[in-house]
């Protein structure tokens, strides 16, 4: 059974003016998603600025999300690290909190070999008793999870069950599904490739777009699964200009600006991330307006 199907939101982490985590606002956002069609909360991923959270903050956020979601929809905890021991300990703790799944990005900066990736993921899987989603995003970590590596990990472990594919390489995605005989749950890591991923047997998307357009992102998947391929494709194509603006500067700079434009008051960013430029803000506003996202 899949951890979830449909659109999982890679939820942002809201901050107070002093940079501390705004848990009241995070609670509001969780409720917003539970009430607007989002199929899963993905907490403390890249979009959640996990790289600038302390380990204590990181785990507090995960526990808070699990507790406040109250099993309305699954919660997937980002517990990846470039230190295997750290990833093991965070993953074990998140599983103990009741996270429905773990999202494990490839180790960054130290850039493990494929053999190193296998050793890294097996070490986590052997100790953290929760379903694991591999996260392949070479553009941010400098290392790709090759299809052969995905296939080996899925075959040789019981709880590595899925992959978030953000390479942008549809041929690689097809190769993963071929080499695993389709026995891995596939999630798009790119909002502009939801329908292509679904067409290869994908279960959904882990989405930045869902932060600002949860119902529409859910509907891209739901329409596809219901057999309304044309409706799904039309929504996917309509979203392209907004998706482009949500990545006009490094994620999550634009999506946090979008949420603040919507009146969500999610606060700013932690350094070294800085506010969206004025020119890009105007382009983002136009894309939001064209897609039908209301802002104040």
């Amino acid at each position: 059974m899949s951890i979830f199907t449909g659109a999982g939101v890679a939820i942002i982490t809201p901050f107070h003016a002093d940079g501390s985590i705004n848990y009241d606002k995070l609670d509001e956002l969780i409720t917003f998603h539970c009430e607007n069609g989002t199929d899963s909360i993905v907490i403390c991923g890249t979009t959640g600025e996990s790289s600038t959270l302390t380990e204590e903050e990181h785990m507090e956020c995960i526990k808070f999300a699990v507790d406040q979601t109250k099993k309305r929809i699954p919660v997937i905890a980002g517990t990846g690290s470039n230190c295997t021991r750290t990833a093991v300990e965070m993953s074990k703790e998140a599983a103990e909190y009741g996270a429905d799944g773990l999202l494990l990005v490839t180790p960054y900066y130290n850039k493990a070999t494929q053999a190193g990736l296998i050793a890294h993921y097996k070490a986590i899987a052997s100790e953290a008793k929760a379903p694991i989603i591999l996260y392949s995003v070479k553009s941010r970590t400098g290392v790709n999870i090759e299809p052969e590596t995905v296939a080996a990990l899925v075959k040789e472990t019981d709880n590595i069950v899925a992959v978030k594919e953000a390479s942008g390489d549809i041929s690689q995605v097809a190769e993963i599904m071929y080499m695993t005989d389709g026995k891995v749950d596939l999630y798009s890591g790119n909002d502009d490739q939801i329908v292509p991923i679904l067409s290869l047997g994908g279960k959904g998307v882990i989405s930045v777009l869902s932060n600002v357009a949860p119902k529409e992102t859910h509907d891209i998947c739901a329409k596809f699964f219901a057999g309304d391929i044309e409706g799904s494709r039309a929504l996917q194509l309509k979203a392209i200009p907004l998706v482009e603006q949500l990545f006009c500067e490094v994620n999550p700079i634009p999506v946090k600006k979008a949420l603040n434009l919507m009146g969500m008051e999610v606060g700013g960013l932690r350094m070294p991330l800085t506010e969206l430029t004025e020119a890009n803000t105007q382009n983002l506003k136009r894309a939001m307006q064209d897609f039908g996202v209301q802002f104040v």
Side-chain angles (χ1 to χ4, degrees):
M1 182 177 177
S2 301
I3 303 170
F4 78 97
T5 58
V9 62
I11 199 167
I12 63 96
T13 301
F15 296 129
H16 291 292
D18 64 1
S20 61
I21 296 171
N22 185 340
Y23 285 103
D24 289 339
K25 184 60 63 175
L26 182 56
D27 188 23
E28 287 181 27
L29 291 174
I30 289 168
T31 298
F32 170 74
H33 284 289
C34 289
E35 294 178 350
N36 283 276
T38 295
D39 299 292
S40 178
I41 301 290
V42 183
I43 187 80
C44 292
T46 304
T47 310
E49 297 178 73
S50 56
S51 60
T52 55
L53 299 178
T54 67
E55 192 171 325
E56 181 181 7
E57 288 175 323
H58 195 129
M59 300 316 300
E60 285 177 352
C61 259
I62 290 170
K63 187 176 189 304
F64 184 87
V66 171
D67 291 344
Q68 298 307 113
T69 304
K70 298 181 175 69
K71 296 297 180 182
R72 286 174 286 178
I73 56 177
V75 174
I76 296 164
T79 52
S81 173
N82 64 344
C83 171
T84 301
R85 193 68 243 163
T86 299
V88 166
E89 294 304 322
M90 289 201 302
S91 297
K92 287 169 61 179
E93 191 171 343
E96 289 167 2
Y97 291 158
D100 298 283
L102 308 171
L103 180 66
L104 296 172
V105 71
T106 52
Y108 38 88
Y109 188 73
N110 41 19
K111 295 174 66 174
T113 63
Q114 296 301 301
L117 290 179
I118 289 172
H120 173 79
Y121 283 120
K122 280 187 172 181
I124 301 167
S126 69
E127 296 196 52
K129 301 308 178 185
I132 288 170
I133 304 174
L134 307 176
Y135 181 14
S136 184
V137 57
K138 185 178 180 180
S139 63
R140 294 196 80 128
T141 68
V143 61
N144 183 51
I145 308 179
E146 298 294 337
E148 296 86 351
T149 301
V150 176
L153 287 166
V154 169
K155 179 180 178 181
E156 296 169 16
T157 63
D158 293 329
N159 55 331
I160 294 178
V161 298
V163 58
K164 176 186 176 183
E165 239 296 336
S167 69
D169 184 346
I170 293 296
S171 295
Q172 172 169 291
V173 175
E175 189 72 10
I176 288 170
M177 296 306 279
Y178 168 72
M179 296 192 74
T180 61
D181 294 322
K183 294 176 182 176
V184 64
D185 286 345
L186 173 67
Y187 298 101
S188 177
N190 295 315
D191 284 310
D192 60 352
Q193 293 183 335
I194 303 172
V195 171
I197 294 287
L198 295 180
S199 74
L200 289 169
K203 298 293 185 180
V205 59
I206 295 176
S207 170
V208 174
L209 177 65
S210 283
N211 281 280
V212 299
K215 183 181 184 301
E216 292 82 356
T217 314
H218 163 87
D219 286 350
I220 291 172
C221 299
K223 286 178 180 292
F224 189 97
F225 295 141
D228 182 8
I229 308 303
E230 180 53 41
S232 176
R233 181 167 58 240
L235 266 178
Q236 169 78 94
L237 296 177
K238 182 182 178 183
I240 295 298
L242 178 54
V243 171
E244 289 175 348
Q245 292 308 312
L246 289 174
F247 289 89
C248 65
E249 293 183 25
V250 68
N251 180 45
I253 291 173
V255 71
K256 270 200 154 175
K257 174 61 75 173
L259 286 166
N260 284 326
L261 290 170
M262 292 166 65
M264 295 286 202
E265 298 180 356
V266 299
L269 302 130
R270 284 191 175 174
M271 293 279 281
L273 300 185
T274 53
E275 289 295 317
L276 194 67
T277 65
E278 181 57 30
N280 282 333
T281 297
Q282 295 307 313
N283 291 336
L284 176 61
K285 283 183 176 180
R286 282 191 290 272
M288 291 169 67
Q289 187 171 36
D290 290 346
F291 194 67
V293 177
Q294 300 299 313
F295 57 89
V296 295

